[in-house]
Amino acid sequence: MKALFIGGTGTISTAIVKRLAEELGWEVWLLNRGNRAEVVPAGVHQIIADISDEADVAKKLEGMEFDVVNEFIGFVPAQVERDYRLFKGKTKQYIFISSASAYHKPAASYIITEGTTLANPHWEYSRNKIACEEFLMQKYREEGFPVTIVRPSHTYDERNVPLGVHGKKGFYQVIKRMLEGKPVIIQGDGSSLWTATFNTDFAIGYTGLMGNRHAIGEAFQITGDETLTWDQIYQTIADALGVELKAYHVASEFLSAAGDKYGFDFEGSLTGDKSVSVVFDNRKLKRAVPDMRTNVRFDQGVRIALDYVLSHPECQVEDPEFDAWCDKVIAALEEAKTKI
């Protein structure tokens, strides 16, 4: 079996490429700019190109066909429209990575299935993913374009620690605050439910959909089965660090308003996603991929990630602006308490 990945070196796709190449014996090709060659397994073929240069990509792919084309860096309709032109008649399956944030927030039920309404007024990123899905499904219905939609939720790897509130430079400043004994902001009251999935578990579900005739024309959400509150998530991280968790709960609406002028998009990432309780019903995926299960519990995955991050200085990206912002938010709320 022969697969092409547009991208292929990100948090999710790296685990999938590795599983295909090293465990399942697929012939794997990556189409990207070649910026992360160090994570590409031996034997994987690379096509160095900018996917936005359609003419150049078409020339480099001339005469090639694939069993599966995997789109990991498509975010707006124009990009999947380009893919349709490039791969129509040249692949037996086109898998598009959408997002579980595309589900309506808040949904009518906290239990999310693939049939949950797609609508997110709080996040343009999610609305664009919905528009991409709509274009692709229209091509499936009208022309039989062999699309499969995959909706990940919060997926992480050894280089990332899942958090709700962080700055533009990522998660590390929150870890640093914990290590320094400083309070860390958790959205809401910390009781909303969330699911974080380690990328190697995600790869089991995803690769089971590749070349699977039951996946054509269908959408699947891929997550683990472990659901935790945000307080439990942060406490697990603090336990792995061996420090006391000093949680400071702040309403998502306040965080969104306070973060706007600093360029923190908390309306999208919190109100439109992480502040809402969700529990994913993965029965549809498991019917198509019976091997899908949670192998890496959150406490295990966090320890893997923290061991890696704390031993690799390049992952320790500090964010002084976000750190100072957290202090300002906490100080302002503490002062407000004294004036009531």
Side-chain angles (χ1 to χ4, degrees), residues 103-113 115-117 276-281:
Y103 292 123
H104 184 67
K105 300 294 187 308
S109 170
Y110 73 96
I111 299 176
I112 305 297
T113 73
T116 298
T117 300
V276 181
S277 282
V278 290
V279 176
F280 293 96
D281 182 342

Coordinates of all heavy atoms in Angstrom, one line a residue, residues 103-113 115-117 276-281:
Y103 N -17.4 20.9 16.3 CA -18.7 20.6 16.9 C -19.3 21.8 17.6 O -18.6 22.6 18.2 CB -18.6 19.4 17.9 CG -18.2 18.1 17.3 CD1 -17.1 17.4 17.7 CD2 -19.1 17.5 16.3 CE1 -16.8 16.2 17.1 CE2 -18.8 16.3 15.7 CZ -17.6 15.6 16.1 OH -17.3 14.4 15.6
H104 N -20.6 21.9 17.6 CA -21.3 23.0 18.1 C -21.0 23.2 19.6 O -20.9 22.2 20.4 CB -22.8 22.9 18.0 CG -23.6 24.0 18.5 ND1 -23.6 25.2 17.9 CD2 -24.4 24.2 19.5 CE1 -24.3 26.1 18.5 NE2 -24.9 25.5 19.5
K105 N -20.7 24.4 20.0 CA -20.3 24.7 21.4 C -21.3 25.8 22.0 O -21.4 26.9 21.4 CB -18.9 25.3 21.5 CG -17.8 24.4 21.0 CD -17.7 23.1 21.8 CE -16.5 22.3 21.4 NZ -16.4 21.9 20.0
P106 N -22.0 25.4 23.1 CA -22.0 24.1 23.7 C -23.0 23.2 22.9 O -24.0 23.7 22.4 CB -22.5 24.3 25.1 CG -23.4 25.6 25.0 CD -22.7 26.4 23.9
A107 N -22.7 21.9 22.8 CA -23.6 21.0 22.1 C -24.8 20.7 23.0 O -24.8 21.0 24.2 CB -22.8 19.7 21.8
A108 N -25.8 20.2 22.3 CA -27.1 19.8 23.1 C -26.8 18.8 24.1 O -27.4 18.7 25.2 CB -28.1 19.3 22.1
S109 N -25.8 17.9 23.9 CA -25.4 16.9 24.8 C -23.9 16.9 24.9 O -23.2 17.2 24.0 CB -25.8 15.5 24.4 OG -25.2 14.5 25.2
Y110 N -23.3 16.7 26.2 CA -21.9 16.7 26.3 C -21.3 15.5 25.7 O -20.1 15.4 25.5 CB -21.5 16.8 27.8 CG -21.8 15.6 28.6 CD1 -20.8 14.6 28.9 CD2 -23.1 15.3 29.1 CE1 -21.0 13.5 29.6 CE2 -23.3 14.2 29.9 CZ -22.3 13.3 30.1 OH -22.5 12.1 30.8
I111 N -22.1 14.5 25.4 CA -21.6 13.3 24.7 C -21.6 13.5 23.2 O -22.6 13.8 22.6 CB -22.4 12.0 25.1 CG1 -22.4 11.8 26.6 CG2 -21.9 10.8 24.3 CD1 -23.3 10.6 27.0
I112 N -20.4 13.5 22.7 CA -20.2 13.9 21.3 C -20.1 12.7 20.4 O -19.3 11.8 20.6 CB -18.9 14.8 21.1 CG1 -19.0 16.0 22.1 CG2 -18.7 15.2 19.7 CD1 -20.1 17.0 21.8
T113 N -20.9 12.7 19.3 CA -20.7 11.7 18.3 C -20.5 12.4 17.0 O -20.5 13.6 16.9 CB -22.0 10.9 18.1 OG1 -23.0 11.7 17.5 CG2 -22.5 10.4 19.5
G115 N -22.4 12.6 14.6 CA -23.6 13.2 14.2 C -23.9 14.5 14.9 O -24.9 15.2 14.6
T116 N -23.1 14.9 15.9 CA -23.3 16.2 16.6 C -23.1 17.3 15.6 O -22.3 17.3 14.7 CB -22.2 16.3 17.7 OG1 -22.4 15.3 18.7 CG2 -22.4 17.7 18.4
T117 N -24.0 18.3 15.7 CA -24.0 19.4 14.8 C -22.7 20.1 14.7 O -22.0 20.3 15.8 CB -25.1 20.5 15.2 OG1 -26.4 19.8 15.3 CG2 -25.2 21.7 14.3
V276 N -15.7 23.9 27.4 CA -16.9 23.2 27.3 C -16.7 21.7 27.6 O -15.8 21.1 27.1 CB -17.5 23.3 25.9 CG1 -18.9 22.6 25.8 CG2 -17.7 24.8 25.6
S277 N -17.5 21.1 28.5 CA -17.3 19.7 28.8 C -17.7 18.8 27.5 O -18.7 19.0 26.9 CB -18.3 19.3 29.9 OG -17.8 19.6 31.2
V278 N -16.8 17.9 27.2 CA -17.1 17.0 26.1 C -16.6 15.6 26.5 O -15.5 15.4 27.1 CB -16.4 17.4 24.8 CG1 -17.0 18.7 24.2 CG2 -14.9 17.6 25.0
V279 N -17.4 14.6 26.1 CA -17.0 13.2 26.2 C -17.3 12.6 24.9 O -18.4 12.6 24.4 CB -17.8 12.5 27.3 CG1 -17.5 11.0 27.4 CG2 -17.6 13.1 28.7
F280 N -16.3 12.0 24.3 CA -16.4 11.5 22.9 C -16.8 10.0 22.9 O -16.2 9.2 23.6 CB -15.0 11.6 22.2 CG -14.6 13.1 22.0 CD1 -13.8 13.7 22.9 CD2 -15.1 13.8 20.9 CE1 -13.4 15.0 22.7 CE2 -14.8 15.1 20.7 CZ -13.9 15.8 21.6
D281 N -17.9 9.8 22.1 CA -18.4 8.4 21.9 C -17.6 7.9 20.7 O -17.9 8.3 19.5 CB -19.9 8.5 21.7 CG -20.5 7.1 21.4 OD1 -19.8 6.2 21.2 OD2 -21.7 7.0 21.5

